[in-house]
Amino acid sequence: YYARRQAIINAQNLIEAAHDTSQDIAETVATAKKGMVTNVPGRKIESAIYPEILNVQDRVIDATGRKIQNYIPTGLTKIDRRMNMRRGRLTIIASDPGVGKTSFMLCVMRNMVKNGMRPVMFSLEMTREEIIENIIAQEVQICHRDMVSGNLADIDITRMTKKAGEYKKLNLGVLDNELMEWTVSAMRNQLIDEMEQGLDAVFIDSLGLIRPPKEAPRNEGRAVLYNTICEDLVRLGTELKIPVILAHHLNKDSSKRSKDWRPTLQSLDFAGERYAHNVGFIYRECMINATEDNADKAEFIIAKARDGIPGTIDLLFDGPTKIFRNMDCLLYTSPSPRDRTRSRMPSS
């Protein structure tokens, strides 16, 4: 009877809140949904840590024995060793435009799927179709540029056709801003729905395009607004017990870079750094000074890592397929009709 009474009270509260035009309707509905889920028979809020401390200890021991990862497996070994993206934590991935933030996030999402996890992405810069094109290029390992220009070789078309039956295994979600202007509260509402299908992480691309709440002061600067949004995202991750990975563009002011133009925490313009548990920068020297030797090189600079180790990790990046790999892997680029000289196969 208690649970039934609580459900009735929750429904009545929803009706009253829905009539209040000063409240955000998306957040109102999401709160009501969460209340319906949590007010179940036998649920009791308890602050004492015993005996739950034993359950946590057993889970940790069991995870070690079964080699279960309690963080997002990026597929990039050295990053996993030095920066854990755990549940309830906000990780900011930042770079200059065109360096590969979105590609990096998609690589991580695909690796999560291979490990039995389900991520969801809010793509606020690219359309859903564009994201899917990038996923196809990574999955089939073909040149993205040839895909979108309709210039694929016969061998690429054959490989795409063979891959078609495997796409059902790509258990991930992608949402763009075509039908919705995404505020944090609207994302929360959507993610609560996504939990029915399984939800292990949320990726957001990017911070500058998240819509501020209606009640946000209009005279505040961008840094204040970004910090407010990041604070809300930390609450979101904590509430839903998922990692939040947020992409962001860097300030190009040379005074906020190192002498060799690599980004620093100052390059964020204080946008969310105080709330982020991890901050990682993607840097590719070839974007500034291209040479034959650095075309495939990338750096992942860990500028902040709670319970981790800051530092720089060298990676390989295959521009045509948009894939990041560990430095000890060989890259594979599908030979395009214009250039058939590269045909290095990836290591197993």
Side-chain angles (χ1 to χ4, degrees), residues 311-332:
T312 299
I313 296 169
D314 293 326
L315 299 173
L316 292 172
F317 178 69
D318 187 19
T321 62
K322 298 181 178 292
I323 296 177
F324 284 89
R325 295 186 189 278
N326 294 308
M327 183 54 83
D328 56 354
C329 291
L330 289 176
L331 292 175
Y332 168 76

Side-chain angles (χ1 to χ4, degrees), residues 81-121:
R81 290 174 182 167
R82 301 180 67 164
M83 189 184 79
N84 290 343
M85 292 183 271
R86 300 176 58 182
R87 286 186 288 181
R89 291 189 172 180
L90 172 64
T91 297
I92 294 178
I93 306 295
S95 75
D96 292 320
V99 172
K101 295 183 301 297
T102 305
S103 298
F104 179 87
M105 294 171 83
L106 291 178
C107 284
V108 174
M109 291 174 68
R110 289 174 50 250
N111 197 65
M112 287 183 65
V113 171
K114 292 176 184 176
N115 282 271
M117 300 177 177
R118 183 177 186 269
V120 170
M121 169 183 269

Side-chain angles (χ1 to χ4, degrees), residues 42-277:
R43 180 176 176 83
K44 181 181 179 182
I45 298 176
E46 179 62 69
S47 64
I49 65 171
Y50 186 86
E52 187 177 352
I53 188 172
L54 298 179
N55 296 333
V56 172
Q57 179 172 283
D58 289 344
R59 175 181 60 77
V60 172
I61 294 173
D62 182 60
T64 301
R66 294 165 54 194
K67 300 186 183 302
I68 298 174
Q69 297 163 319
N70 64 348
Y71 56 91
I72 290 181
T74 66
L76 302 165
T77 313
K78 292 183 179 179
I79 293 179
D80 290 342
R81 290 174 182 167
R82 301 180 67 164
M83 189 184 79
N84 290 343
M85 292 183 271
R86 300 176 58 182
R87 286 186 288 181
R89 291 189 172 180
L90 172 64
T91 297
I92 294 178
I93 306 295
S95 75
D96 292 320
V99 172
K101 295 183 301 297
T102 305
S103 298
F104 179 87
M105 294 171 83
L106 291 178
C107 284
V108 174
M109 291 174 68
R110 289 174 50 250
N111 197 65
M112 287 183 65
V113 171
K114 292 176 184 176
N115 282 271
M117 300 177 177
R118 183 177 186 269
V120 170
M121 169 183 269
F122 290 93
S123 175
L124 310 184
E125 287 194 332
M126 300 170 64
T127 66
R128 177 183 167 94
E129 182 176 352
E130 289 172 327
I131 291 294
I132 291 174
E133 287 173 352
N134 279 267
I135 291 174
I136 292 173
Q138 290 186 355
E139 281 289 307
V140 187
Q141 295 188 39
I142 58 176
C143 179
H144 176 265
R145 182 179 60 255
D146 291 343
M147 267 182 55
V148 299
S149 63
N151 204 16
L152 289 173
D154 290 341
I155 187 174
D156 295 328
I157 295 173
T158 300
R159 291 169 59 203
M160 288 180 70
T161 304
K162 289 182 179 180
K163 191 74 175 180
E166 300 180 27
Y167 290 141
K168 192 174 182 180
K169 300 176 184 177
L170 278 173
N171 187 22
L172 55 85
V174 177
L175 298 151
D176 60 18
N177 57 7
E178 181 180 0
L179 301 176
M180 172 73 75
E181 292 185 341
W182 293 106
T183 62
V184 175
S185 61
M187 291 178 184
R188 175 177 177 265
N189 187 24
Q190 178 68 35
L191 292 172
I192 289 173
D193 286 341
E194 295 286 340
M195 293 178 75
E196 297 177 4
Q197 305 175 58
L199 179 64
D200 294 291
V202 59
F203 293 74
I204 306 170
D205 187 12
S206 63
L207 172 58
L209 294 176
I210 299 175
R211 299 291 294 181
K214 292 181 180 180
E215 62 273 14
R218 299 302 176 188
N219 58 347
E220 297 287 0
R222 282 191 302 172
V224 174
L225 179 59
Y226 287 169
N227 278 320
T228 300
I229 291 174
C230 288
E231 185 179 12
D232 290 341
L233 288 175
V234 171
R235 291 196 187 100
L236 174 68
T238 302
E239 177 190 6
L240 302 185
K241 297 181 179 179
I242 56 172
V244 179
I245 297 86
L246 176 66
H248 186 45
H249 291 304
L250 294 171
N251 189 313
K252 290 189 174 183
D253 186 344
S254 60
S255 67
K256 298 182 179 181
R257 302 292 180 106
S258 64
K259 292 181 180 180
D260 55 9
W261 195 248
R262 283 169 172 76
T264 66
L265 283 176
Q266 285 187 319
S267 307
L268 282 177
D269 269 345
F270 305 102
E273 185 270 328
R274 63 180 291 192
Y275 296 104
H277 301 83

